[in-house]
Amino acid sequence: MKWRLLFGLLAMIAMVPLFSQTEDDRITIRSFYDEALTSRQSYHWLKDLCAIGPRLSGSESSLQAIHWVKGVMDTCGFDRVYLQPTLVPHWERGNPEKAILYDSKGGEYPLNVLAIGGSVATPPGGITAEIIEVPSLMAIDDIPREEIEGKIVFFNPPFDQTNIGTGASYGSNVGTRAQGAVKASQKGAIASVIRSVSSGDDDAPHTGTGHYEADVDSIPAAALGVRSADIVQHVLKLDPHAKMHLEMSCKWFEDAPSFNVIAELRGSEYPDEIIAMGGHMDSWDVGEGAHDDGAGCMHALGALKLLVDQGVTPKRTIRAVMFINEENGTRGGEEYADQAVKLGEKHLVAIESDAGGYSPRGFGITADEEQRLKLESWLDYFPKNTISYMSKGGGGVDIGPLHRADGTPMIGLSVDGQKMFDLHHSANDVFSAVHPRELELGTASMATLVYLLSQYGL
Ligand SMILES: [Zn+2]
């Protein structure tokens, strides 16, 4: 009995500091959520950012956004704010694209269309040709060249609406957007159009990056809104000789100077251990890049500001990195990794938010299993209905180069993704599509994660 009492007392004494530390952490973390939900700072910043307009790499407005965000960071009380220069590709869409479907009986159907990023232009005045519908990227391999030569290939794979995780459906169709023009050109087509990679029920076309190959003729590449794609599909069924007119005036320019923007809070005990979190400053040139990826940038910036406002002195160094050129080149992510290697920086972990400003759900982890289990043991710190899993596999395009360069573990924020691919890369990705509470829950969740990492390592 006595032994048991003594044992109990000893256990209680041992638990006191642990218990109070945990309680302190809980109070700090709660304050992140309270502050984010009431101040809505990330949301207000996102509004200002979106007001600048779309931010395609190399554009004037992308530079404006870069200088705007640096200006904001300068007022936040961070230890260091700096620009990291890099060259980025510079492509412009030119005049609004035109696409019209003509049936053999004189019927005319205007179509909603966007050039795929990086596309070449059509000749002035456009092209008009018969269309061959191809159900998927791979299906073109089985079609004889004679049936394709001189035509416009219409890749028409449907978006798989059965996946609960819409990212999987996006992932299985995005290859068509990227490779369609090369595959079509190899068989003698004069242009390639695709059904937009979209879960949406509207007719806004979705752009995104496309590829050419040096030894394959570059042909114009475009994406139709899903309703427009339905029209083409329907008309072709009745009239296989229907024709499409396509007019695009896109242009390539020399690489342009640009920057990553970085804000830093210096670690008090382990300043050389860096936790980097970020999103990408560039967006496509339609819409406002609100969810993709203004939201991710404001998650990172807002999280760093929450630490300052709540009086947190992190033990390890924390950075908010606004990467440039995620959409069509990844030059920002590569430059960040190059500089980290050159300067011998040691990153504890890199975290990316590029899934939209929706309600946070979990984190995807690319790290040792032991590290993932450590992260999983922190789940209890996150309020219910925010972060509920630390799953295997995750990261992001911007932090990928660092991971590949020196093995830095990667974490990607997962959000409730049901709406993301309705508007991703389309004119509908605008500020009004972002909900303040959903965005701020993401910001506070990022703050919580970097706070725990800075205090306890990985
Ligand atoms: Zn993105």
Side-chain angles (χ1 to χ4, degrees):
M1 193 66 179
K2 269 181 188 166
W3 275 112
R4 206 181 286 171
L5 191 66
L6 184 63
F7 209 70
L9 274 170
L10 282 171
M12 273 174 69
I13 292 163
M15 275 177 67
V16 166
L18 188 71
F19 179 75
S20 60
Q21 180 58 56
T22 305
E23 257 329 282
D24 283 353
D25 289 340
R26 285 188 197 289
I27 291 166
T28 302
I29 288 166
R30 188 62 239 182
S31 77
F32 295 153
Y33 285 88
D34 291 348
E35 174 68 16
L37 288 168
T38 51
S39 77
R40 298 187 168 185
Q41 182 63 79
S42 300
Y43 184 70
H44 295 310
W45 279 334
L46 183 62
K47 185 178 186 180
D48 293 345
L49 174 63
C50 289
I52 294 170
R55 308 176 295 278
L56 188 60
S57 291
S59 67
E60 202 47 54
S61 51
S62 70
L63 287 178
Q64 228 176 301
I66 283 165
H67 293 296
W68 169 82
V69 83
K70 176 164 186 307
V72 169
M73 287 172 170
D74 283 336
T75 67
C76 286
F78 301 141
D79 296 318
R80 187 179 172 212
V81 173
Y82 58 106
L83 297 175
Q84 187 171 63
T86 181
L87 288 174
V88 293
H90 180 192
W91 171 87
E92 289 183 12
R93 180 171 303 282
N95 300 324
E97 303 85 333
K98 229 196 261 172
I100 305 165
L101 182 68
Y102 298 105
D103 68 23
S104 312
K105 291 182 189 134
E108 244 180 61
Y109 310 85
L111 305 169
N112 274 323
V113 68
L114 278 178
I116 288 173
S119 176
V120 296
T122 60
I127 51 173
T128 306
E130 282 192 10
I131 308 151
I132 177 161
E133 181 181 338
V134 180
S136 71
L137 182 66
M138 289 310 157
I140 198 168
D141 294 340
D142 301 327
I143 304 175
R145 186 182 175 92
E146 310 85 76
E147 290 182 33
I148 296 175
E149 215 154 27
K151 292 185 182 165
I152 295 172
V153 169
F154 168 43
F155 288 104
N156 192 27
F159 191 92
D160 183 355
Q161 297 284 11
T162 64
N163 282 321
I164 307 300
T166 53
S169 308
Y170 177 75
S172 55
N173 278 8
V174 77
T176 310
R177 189 188 70 208
Q179 301 296 337
V182 168
K183 290 279 231 174
S185 178
Q186 279 168 334
K187 293 231 168 169
I190 60 165
S192 165
V193 300
I194 63 163
R195 169 183 288 270
S196 281
V197 187
S198 166
S199 53
D201 228 350
D202 55 36
D203 202 26
H206 296 231
T207 188
T209 202
H211 292 292
Y212 290 123
E213 282 172 18
D215 55 350
V216 180
D217 273 352
S218 299
I219 57 171
L224 296 171
V226 296
R227 291 285 160 250
S228 290
D230 289 344
I231 291 169
V232 177
Q233 182 180 336
H234 181 73
V235 169
L236 281 179
K237 222 168 251 161
L238 306 170
D239 180 1
H241 296 292
K243 289 184 173 177
M244 188 185 292
H245 175 77
L246 187 64
E247 221 172 311
M248 312 199 303
S249 61
C250 328
K251 230 173 151 180
W252 274 100
F253 300 86
E254 288 289 294
D255 283 0
S258 195
F259 308 89
N260 294 325
V261 194
I262 304 169
E264 186 177 287
L265 277 184
R266 226 166 147 63
S268 58
E269 285 184 33
Y270 313 100
D272 295 337
E273 290 186 26
I274 301 164
I275 298 156
M277 63 173 157
H280 62 88
M281 276 303 274
D282 63 309
S283 73
W284 278 104
D285 57 337
V286 291
E288 297 168 354
H291 281 287
D292 186 13
D293 185 26
C297 288
M298 296 308 107
H299 278 156
L301 177 56
L304 203 65
K305 181 71 159 70
L306 282 176
L307 299 187
V308 171
D309 289 349
Q310 300 312 309
V312 171
T313 307
K315 291 183 180 171
R316 293 167 176 82
T317 293
I318 307 176
R319 283 183 189 160
V321 185
M322 318 282 108
F323 294 94
I324 190 67
N325 191 221
E326 187 269 354
E327 297 291 4
N328 60 342
T330 331
R331 302 271 187 91
E334 281 161 16
E335 184 61 30
Y336 186 83
D338 286 352
Q339 290 300 325
V341 169
K342 209 156 103 188
L343 299 169
E345 289 179 343
K346 182 190 167 218
H347 281 76
L348 187 73
V349 62
I351 307 160
E352 185 158 333
S353 166
D354 187 17
Y358 302 104
S359 289
R361 291 288 181 249
F363 287 106
I365 321 290
T366 301
D368 296 343
E369 184 59 4
E370 210 174 299
Q371 294 173 314
R372 193 190 67 79
L373 289 172
K374 180 169 181 174
L375 291 161
E376 205 166 65
S377 74
W378 294 342
L379 278 177
D380 190 41
Y381 283 107
F382 294 88
K384 275 211 164 47
N385 295 317
T386 61
I387 298 295
S388 65
Y389 58 84
M390 300 278 183
S391 57
K392 277 187 203 177
V397 171
D398 294 304
I399 58 180
L402 183 65
H403 173 71
R404 288 190 290 275
D406 68 3
T408 296
M410 295 192 292
I411 302 179
L413 174 66
S414 299
V415 300
D416 182 342
Q418 297 311 316
K419 299 178 203 152
M420 181 62 162
F421 295 102
D422 288 3
L423 48 73
H424 177 257
H425 297 183
S426 86
N428 291 329
D429 185 5
V430 292
F431 176 70
S432 58
V434 178
H435 190 276
R437 290 181 59 86
E438 294 186 359
L439 181 75
E440 296 296 347
L441 288 176
T443 298
S445 297
M446 289 286 270
T448 300
L449 179 65
V450 295
Y451 168 74
L452 291 168
L453 284 164
S454 73
Q455 302 312 99
Y456 303 111
L458 185 60

